[in-house]
Amino acid sequence: MTLTIRTLTGAEILSAVDDLARLRMTVFAEWPYLYDGDPAYERDYLAAFVKAPGGVLVAACEGGRIVGAATASPLAAQEQALRGPVEMHGIDVSEAFYFGESVLLGEWRGQGVGHAFFDQREAQARKAGARIAVFASVVREAAHPDRPAAYRPLDAFWSKRGYAPLDGLTCTLSWKDHRDAAESAKTLRYWSRLL
């Protein structure tokens, strides 16, 4: 079966919140996130994208089932933990769009869906008047015991799309890894490109 790519905005995102929450928990359980998710937290987090003016959810669908999704919204609508470091770096957050997760079930990877996710989010950012796109990727130590031997980071993919790390700029977010009893702080590195 083939995939269709749908772009959802505003209240349309509500219809996909439960599917996206399950998808995030499934994909982010993998390396490098190792996220031990919580459905209630996921729904609350995703509801913020519904409220953000100009927020978008790009869904990859197999029939009626969402098998991949990516989100984006104005950076000004994001929590301070994400917005603050970018502001302190001197970027006007009113001109920036934040690309949230980009999650896709393993069997659909390598078929161009990642490019479609970026294309649609960049188009939405431009439509909203943004001049820069920003996202943050988790940084894990190379010797981490859960790192798969065959793991390939996405840095080359992002670079080919014109993104580059923002001068060592990072933020810290906390979540619970599967092997841990409690949340712990994680470092995320910012990437950006002009639109």
Side-chain angles (χ1 to χ4, degrees):
M1 188 170 253
T2 60
L3 291 182
T4 57
I5 306 295
R6 296 177 49 221
T7 300
L8 309 176
T9 58
E12 292 176 309
I13 299 173
L14 282 174
S15 66
V17 164
D18 288 338
D19 287 337
L20 182 55
R22 282 191 296 275
L23 189 60
R24 275 177 46 97
M25 288 174 52
T26 299
V27 174
F28 283 162
E30 302 169 6
W31 178 265
Y33 290 90
L34 306 174
Y35 172 59
D36 186 7
D38 173 281
Y41 168 83
E42 290 297 315
R43 281 190 292 278
D44 289 345
Y45 164 79
L46 295 166
F49 279 94
V50 176
K51 295 175 188 170
V56 64
L57 184 151
V58 183
C61 303
E62 176 195 30
R65 180 174 78 118
I66 295 178
V67 298
T71 60
S73 76
L75 182 57
Q78 294 297 317
E79 62 182 299
Q80 180 64 26
L82 287 170
R83 190 179 66 245
V86 178
E87 286 176 313
M88 289 175 51
H89 190 70
I91 294 173
D92 182 349
V93 296
S94 71
E95 297 181 343
F97 230 68
Y98 180 75
F99 290 6
E101 60 283 312
S102 184
V103 292
L104 184 64
L105 295 178
E107 62 266 32
W108 296 103
R109 295 176 190 161
Q111 300 180 37
V113 177
H115 286 291
F117 284 167
F118 271 92
D119 290 345
Q120 296 301 316
R121 292 185 295 178
E122 289 168 2
Q124 181 70 10
R126 287 183 189 102
K127 182 178 173 183
R131 66 167 195 83
I132 188 170
V134 176
F135 67 87
S137 66
V138 68
V139 177
R140 294 281 191 170
E141 60 274 16
H144 192 288
D146 292 323
R147 183 185 180 97
Y151 174 69
R152 260 187 21 212
L154 293 172
D155 298 23
F157 170 76
W158 297 327
S159 294
K160 286 180 185 174
R161 289 208 53 102
Y163 290 83
L166 261 172
D167 296 330
L169 186 65
T170 63
C171 69
T172 303
L173 299 178
S174 295
W175 64 82
K176 182 179 173 294
D177 284 359
H178 281 285
R179 67 166 59 225
D180 297 338
E183 289 187 356
S184 60
K186 314 293 189 300
T187 299
L188 289 89
R189 177 174 55 186
Y190 286 96
W191 292 67
S192 72
R193 71 162 282 190
L194 295 177
L195 296 170

